[in-house]
Amino acid sequence: MSLHSLDEATALNPIAEGLYEGHTSDRYWNFAGPFGGYLAALVISAVLKDARRLGPPVAQTVNYCGALSKGPFRVTASIDRGGKATQHWSVRLTQGDSTVTTSTIVCANRRETFQHLTVARPDVPAADAVAPAFAPPQFAWIGAYDFRFVEGAPLFAGKPLPEGQMGPSRTVVWMRDKPERPLDHLSLSSLADCFVLRLLQMRGKLVPMSTVSMTTYFHATEADLAAQGTAHVLGVADSKRFADNFHDQTMDLWGANGALLATGVQTVWYKE
Amino acid sequence: MSLHSLDEATALNPIAEGLYEGHTSDRYWNFAGPFGGYLAALVISAVLKDARRLGPPVAQTVNYCGALSKGPFRVTASIDRGGKATQHWSVRLTQGDSTVTTSTIVCANRRETFQHLTVARPDVPAADAVAPAFAPPQFAWIGAYDFRFVEGAPLFAGKPLPEGQMGPSRTVVWMRDKPERPLDHLSLSSLADCFVLRLLQMRGKLVPMSTVSMTTYFHATEADLAAQGTAHVLGVADSKRFADNFHDQTMDLWGANGALLATGVQTVWYKE
């Protein structure tokens, strides 16, 4: 049985406890580097593989410190503090002496408790009823996912909007790994960054921009993941404020059966 | 001129570059330890004081790894990667050999660019028209702020709601430091955690619970901070999902003149 491209691209070779070597994969390449969700998956992968892990991840912050070049890299993962309920990790991805990505990850011992949901999944047509989006071949990573836009499809560069006009800040999209892959924390970690940056989405104008930091909270219970299987996830992205080189971005990932699987935020740098 | 209690409580004594000693303050104590906003302010303080800092902070993630005991502590702050536009920091607060808090902070060189706001501040009565809330004296930190609840005032422990009934998940509250203090990134960092945990808010029942990780994005421009001065900030808090020992919490901090000053999220552990 061959590995799924996500597992192949995030494979890490253990050198010592908490120390891994890896090699970049072209499958998740964007333009100047891989898409950020690939880096998020790479660093969480080091914790997911670690025998010292307490339980599933509940929170991940990824800081995008510098560009990842094609070639080898190292990942270190260490436990800052462990307890019965939670376990705090710091993870770092380096190339030579340069830090490419830092990440803090919280794992936990999760058991059934009080459950509540204050919001409902947007009422949209099922994934099967929405046409798959065209994947521009120059961005390899987009071809690694099946995107079906319900609302706020991306306005790609080269088609700037008329002066003074702006696209919507909100996008609602069904998405899943291509080929299909059962949903787990590794894929949730990368799906959290599968949204076109809101500034590009709204202005339809490509200026230098990149995600600087991203935080994802994993809400999915084991039963939610099992029920989800390889079905599409419904992603909702939006932003609130754009000012002085930075904008925020929020996202929700919903399961096919209405479970809220993950929520997250990111802050994005843009040049002008 | 005497220092404001926030500055006094977050004072750090420099030992070497990126190494500080400090001592806990009772002013921001909760029950088992200080309120989380005090720890957020302590760790950002180490970066704010550092001569190597590129510019204002744009993002802060704080991981609450263990309890802070009354007494001395150390803070280390190191630069993971620096550039012309952004600078990535890792900060750690320790007591003896134990890590109490880890934090990643992004600072940036911010200049005027494209500006946009997709949402408007909730339309509520001015702070002066809302009565200050009673501060229960057993929680010192609550007395360090002036809270004026517009919507979703906290239901304190000891007054559980009738079985099956639940309080609102959303709170809208005017708040500021007491005594007044001109708003800056230090105070925004702590105000981000000034909301009663949503689980307690909704169930009115005190079970063991605590914030595990918090992320704050600072949107305020220099002009926004100058315009704000010592006026009240309007805070809005809410949550989406509660499941298997964890719930998320979101927050927005609005300026008196309608500027969105900061947005953030946190994930909260609860026992049952």
Side-chain angles (χ1 to χ4, degrees):
Chain A
M1 201 186 87
S2 70
L3 276 178
H4 187 277
S5 57
L6 180 64
D7 299 286
E8 197 176 29
T10 57
L12 294 173
N13 186 25
I15 304 298
E17 190 178 64
L19 172 63
Y20 300 88
E21 279 182 352
H23 194 285
T24 56
S25 158
D26 291 348
R27 175 69 171 160
Y28 294 90
W29 218 253
N30 196 3
F31 12 67
F35 104 99
Y38 169 65
L39 277 161
L42 269 182
V43 290
I44 208 168
S45 170
V47 172
L48 292 173
K49 287 176 207 302
D50 199 301
R52 296 170 293 171
R53 183 166 55 87
L54 177 68
V58 294
Q60 178 183 25
T61 291
V62 188
N63 298 293
Y64 299 99
C65 306
L68 180 67
S69 308
K70 291 193 179 188
F73 56 80
R74 287 194 159 206
V75 180
T76 56
S78 56
I79 299 172
D80 294 315
R81 185 106 176 216
K84 282 182 195 168
T86 58
Q87 185 185 49
H88 289 265
W89 293 78
S90 286
V91 187
R92 186 176 294 257
L93 190 151
T94 55
Q95 281 188 317
D97 292 336
S98 294
T99 295
V100 174
T101 308
T102 61
S103 183
T104 56
I105 294 168
V106 185
C107 294
N109 185 4
R110 300 190 80 164
R111 298 198 180 170
E112 208 176 316
T113 59
F114 170 77
Q115 310 261 342
H116 188 67
L117 187 63
T118 68
V119 282
R121 200 189 76 192
D123 187 17
V124 299
D128 288 349
V130 183
F134 166 72
Q138 64 271 37
F139 306 109
W141 77 273
I142 297 179
Y145 293 93
D146 177 34
F147 291 111
R148 296 164 185 242
F149 291 93
V150 175
E151 184 188 319
L155 303 163
F156 284 111
K159 288 187 194 169
L161 287 166
E163 193 62 31
Q165 226 178 287
M166 210 147 43
S169 63
R170 183 176 142 114
T171 286
V172 180
V173 56
W174 285 110
M175 52 197 191
R176 70 171 163 195
D177 288 295
K178 193 160 76 187
E180 299 173 25
R181 182 181 178 285
L183 192 73
D184 60 10
H185 292 95
L186 185 71
S187 49
L188 278 174
S189 172
S190 54
L191 284 164
D193 194 40
C194 268
F195 302 93
V196 167
L197 297 179
R198 299 295 89 190
L199 187 75
L200 175 57
Q201 165 76 9
M202 292 171 68
R203 293 203 295 186
K205 176 183 163 187
L206 192 60
V207 299
M209 59 179 97
S210 63
T211 301
V212 165
S213 188
M214 177 170 80
T215 292
T216 306
Y217 296 151
F218 302 101
H219 302 294
T221 63
E222 279 188 46
D224 291 335
L225 293 175
Q228 177 69 16
T230 62
H232 285 82
V233 160
L234 186 72
V236 181
D238 211 331
S239 282
K240 287 179 175 168
R241 187 171 184 193
F242 304 71
D244 291 16
N245 301 112
F246 289 88
H247 74 83
D248 68 307
Q249 194 162 315
T250 58
M251 76 91 208
D252 296 331
L253 296 177
W254 293 91
N257 65 357
L260 183 57
L261 303 172
T263 55
V265 291
Q266 59 177 259
T267 183
V268 177
W269 170 84
Y270 59 96
K271 191 169 184 183
E272 57 189 83
Chain B
M1 202 185 84
S2 70
L3 276 178
H4 187 277
S5 57
L6 181 64
D7 299 285
E8 197 176 29
T10 58
L12 294 173
N13 185 25
I15 304 299
E17 191 178 63
L19 173 62
Y20 301 87
E21 279 181 351
H23 194 286
T24 56
S25 158
D26 291 346
R27 175 71 171 157
Y28 294 90
W29 218 254
N30 197 4
F31 10 68
F35 103 101
Y38 169 65
L39 277 160
L42 268 183
V43 289
I44 208 169
S45 170
V47 172
L48 292 173
K49 287 176 206 303
D50 200 301
R52 297 171 293 172
R53 183 167 54 87
L54 178 67
V58 295
Q60 179 183 26
T61 291
V62 188
N63 298 292
Y64 298 99
C65 306
L68 180 67
S69 307
K70 290 192 180 188
F73 56 80
R74 286 196 159 204
V75 180
T76 57
S78 57
I79 299 171
D80 294 315
R81 184 105 176 216
K84 282 182 194 169
T86 58
Q87 184 185 49
H88 290 264
W89 293 77
S90 287
V91 187
R92 186 175 293 258
L93 190 151
T94 55
Q95 280 187 318
D97 292 336
S98 294
T99 295
V100 174
T101 308
T102 62
S103 181
T104 56
I105 293 168
V106 185
C107 294
N109 185 4
R110 300 191 80 164
R111 298 197 180 172
E112 208 178 314
T113 59
F114 170 79
Q115 311 260 343
H116 187 68
L117 187 64
T118 68
V119 282
R121 201 190 75 192
D123 186 19
V124 300
D128 286 350
V130 183
F134 165 71
Q138 64 270 40
F139 306 110
W141 77 272
I142 297 179
Y145 293 93
D146 176 34
F147 291 111
R148 296 164 184 242
F149 291 93
V150 175
E151 183 188 320
L155 304 163
F156 285 112
K159 289 186 194 167
L161 288 166
E163 193 62 31
Q165 226 177 287
M166 212 148 42
S169 63
R170 183 177 143 118
T171 285
V172 180
V173 55
W174 286 110
M175 51 196 193
R176 69 172 165 195
D177 287 295
K178 194 159 76 187
E180 299 173 23
R181 182 181 178 285
L183 192 72
D184 59 10
H185 291 96
L186 186 72
S187 49
L188 278 174
S189 173
S190 54
L191 284 164
D193 195 40
C194 268
F195 302 92
V196 167
L197 296 179
R198 298 296 90 190
L199 187 75
L200 175 58
Q201 165 76 9
M202 291 170 70
R203 293 205 294 187
K205 176 184 163 188
L206 193 59
V207 298
M209 59 180 99
S210 62
T211 301
V212 165
S213 187
M214 176 170 80
T215 292
T216 307
Y217 295 151
F218 303 100
H219 302 293
T221 64
E222 280 188 46
D224 292 334
L225 293 175
Q228 177 69 16
T230 62
H232 286 81
V233 160
L234 186 73
V236 181
D238 211 332
S239 281
K240 287 179 176 169
R241 188 172 183 193
F242 303 71
D244 290 15
N245 301 112
F246 289 88
H247 74 80
D248 68 306
Q249 194 162 315
T250 59
M251 76 91 207
D252 296 332
L253 295 178
W254 293 92
N257 65 358
L260 183 57
L261 304 171
T263 55
V265 290
Q266 60 177 259
T267 182
V268 177
W269 170 83
Y270 59 96
K271 191 168 184 182
E272 56 190 81

